[in-house]
Amino acid sequence: MQKLPPPFYQSSDVLQIAKNLLGKLLVTRFDEQLTIGRIVETEAYQGITDKASHAYGGRYTQRTQTMYAAGGCAYVYLCYGIHHLFNVVTGPANTPHAVLIRAIEPVKGIPVMLQRMGKPKPDFSIGRGPGNVTKALGLNRLHNTQLLTRNDLYIADDGCVAKESECIITQRIGVDYAAEDALLPYRFLVKGNPYVSGKNK
């Protein structure tokens, strides 16, 4: 299992990165508790030209400044005051692209994930949907801006590659405010995986 190197994240093609993240392992090790989830659903957000992006139109605020860093760090924000959402910043510095991790398939540390989520036993809701991804893996706003080369938070490659026939591309979920950009095919998921959120079409 090898950590993804910074150049993986720093391509200007956020769509390709979002697709390539399928099958990779999102790893956290907090308080000596190791949890690992295989990424099975992502969404790309294409910077200043994407109406669904926080950085649309070059918006630069205390929240969005993380998106302008060089690719390879975490962008974590609180959505509707309820759910923390974990994104991977991509692209060169000052190119505010990001990939939202929408779903993971639990691989290791499931008892810890259950405890964090307050669940008595495993089911497919562990890691299904971006809010559950962060709950299961213990992620929150304290991890915003952190580089993904750390030992307690990183994405790794264990040789698993999603086959072309297993990759489905659809429009994103929950971005109706983005008008025509809500229809862009920027969501990537593993076909038939039970941890994928929303409609698998």
Side-chain angles (χ1 to χ4, degrees), residues 11 22 27 42 70 76 101 128 130 141 143 159 164 181 196:
S11 161
L22 293 180
V27 182
T42 63
V76 186
I101 305 302
R128 178 194 280 164
R141 279 185 293 181
H143 303 110
E164 195 69 30
D181 284 0
V196 166

Side-chain angles (χ1 to χ4, degrees), residues 104-164:
I104 56 167
E105 179 177 343
V107 172
K108 192 172 184 64
I110 293 175
V112 177
M113 295 182 186
L114 291 174
Q115 183 180 34
R116 287 170 175 163
M117 298 183 73
K119 300 180 70 66
K121 59 183 181 180
D123 59 33
F124 293 130
S125 70
I126 302 176
R128 178 194 280 164
N132 285 332
V133 169
T134 56
K135 287 178 185 176
L137 295 178
L139 294 161
N140 55 53
R141 279 185 293 181
L142 294 177
H143 303 110
N144 185 49
T145 77
Q146 292 190 1
L147 296 176
L148 299 177
T149 51
R150 299 167 58 102
N151 290 327
D152 59 354
L153 171 59
Y154 59 93
I155 299 176
D157 185 350
D158 68 345
C160 177
V161 179
K163 297 178 181 177
E164 195 69 30

Side-chain angles (χ1 to χ4, degrees), residues 7-197:
F8 175 92
Y9 304 105
Q10 292 170 4
S11 161
S12 59
D13 190 344
V14 65
L15 299 179
Q16 190 62 52
I17 294 174
K19 183 177 180 181
N20 290 346
L21 281 169
L22 293 180
K24 301 297 188 291
L25 299 172
L26 181 51
V27 182
T28 64
R29 188 190 296 270
F30 304 136
D31 300 321
E32 299 184 356
Q33 295 181 315
L34 175 66
T35 49
I36 304 176
R38 192 174 301 281
I39 298 170
V40 296
E41 181 184 3
T42 63
E43 283 182 347
Y45 289 83
Q46 194 154 230
I48 64 174
T49 63
D50 183 350
K51 293 179 180 178
S53 169
H54 291 167
Y56 174 64
R59 188 180 301 120
Y60 188 94
T61 65
Q62 185 174 0
R63 179 171 76 164
T64 66
Q65 63 182 345
T66 305
M67 299 180 72
Y68 288 83
C73 68
Y75 172 44
V76 186
Y77 64 90
L78 191 64
C79 182
Y80 301 124
I82 303 172
H83 302 295
H84 289 99
L85 304 190
F86 176 82
N87 301 257
V88 177
V89 174
T90 73
N94 298 313
T95 304
H97 294 172
V99 177
L100 171 66
I101 305 302
R102 282 200 58 91
I104 56 167
E105 179 177 343
V107 172
K108 192 172 184 64
I110 293 175
V112 177
M113 295 182 186
L114 291 174
Q115 183 180 34
R116 287 170 175 163
M117 298 183 73
K119 300 180 70 66
K121 59 183 181 180
D123 59 33
F124 293 130
S125 70
I126 302 176
R128 178 194 280 164
N132 285 332
V133 169
T134 56
K135 287 178 185 176
L137 295 178
L139 294 161
N140 55 53
R141 279 185 293 181
L142 294 177
H143 303 110
N144 185 49
T145 77
Q146 292 190 1
L147 296 176
L148 299 177
T149 51
R150 299 167 58 102
N151 290 327
D152 59 354
L153 171 59
Y154 59 93
I155 299 176
D157 185 350
D158 68 345
C160 177
V161 179
K163 297 178 181 177
E164 195 69 30
S165 60
E166 296 174 340
C167 179
I168 295 177
I169 305 173
T170 76
Q171 65 192 54
R172 292 170 293 192
I173 295 174
V175 294
D176 293 345
Y177 59 86
E180 67 274 11
D181 284 0
L183 304 177
L184 293 171
Y186 284 4
R187 175 173 170 246
F188 302 83
L189 57 97
V190 176
K191 181 180 180 180
N193 189 283
Y195 292 91
V196 166
S197 65

